[in-house]
Amino acid sequence: MDSPLIEELTAQLYRQRSLLLENASVENRETTPADERESEIEESAQIDRITQLKNRLDERGQIMIREIETALGRVASGTFGLCRGCGETIAAPRLRVLPPASFCINS
């Protein structure tokens, strides 16, 4: 799989994750202290905030976050875009529609 496509899909995965976390934050704004704004906190506090937001997501949102983070792990390990079932490359159109996909259409 070519590098520009992986970069495009990785950016899409990060955007999807950010939107899910942002929605959790907006839905629970009254419980989020103003001093937790991402631009004002340290890296360790950001990790804590992300964990708290993940906990606020409904079950479906938590599953989506896990799938996205698993896909990002495959990007880091160099196995992104390879089918976990047959080992073949997952078609680019499938990944564009469903970036966390870990199986090709045939598996």
Side-chain angles (χ1 to χ4, degrees):
M1 182 166 292
D2 64 358
S3 181
L5 178 59
I6 290 175
E7 290 174 16
E8 170 192 333
L9 295 172
T10 300
Q12 188 174 345
L13 288 164
Y14 279 114
R15 280 192 303 274
Q16 288 177 346
R17 184 176 71 174
S18 292
L19 285 173
L20 285 166
L21 294 174
E22 185 177 303
N23 287 339
S25 178
V26 169
E27 291 171 8
N28 296 285
R29 189 168 301 270
E30 66 277 355
T31 62
T32 304
D35 62 343
E36 286 190 0
R37 288 182 301 235
E38 189 170 326
S39 64
E40 299 176 6
I41 54 178
E42 300 172 9
E43 185 175 339
S44 62
Q46 289 176 357
I47 293 168
D48 290 341
R49 180 173 180 263
I50 289 171
T51 301
Q52 289 171 358
L53 290 174
K54 285 181 190 176
N55 292 335
R56 291 181 186 150
L57 291 170
D58 61 12
E59 184 177 343
R60 183 165 190 235
Q62 289 180 11
I63 290 168
M64 291 173 67
I65 289 283
R66 279 194 300 271
E67 289 175 355
I68 289 169
E69 290 179 344
T70 299
L72 291 170
R74 289 193 307 272
V75 169
S77 70
T79 60
F80 180 79
L82 298 178
C83 176
R84 288 182 32 212
C86 68
E88 295 294 319
T89 301
I90 301 171
R94 176 170 171 74
L95 289 171
R96 282 194 172 102
V97 171
L98 186 64
S102 59
F103 291 93
C104 69
I105 199 77
N106 299 320
S107 289

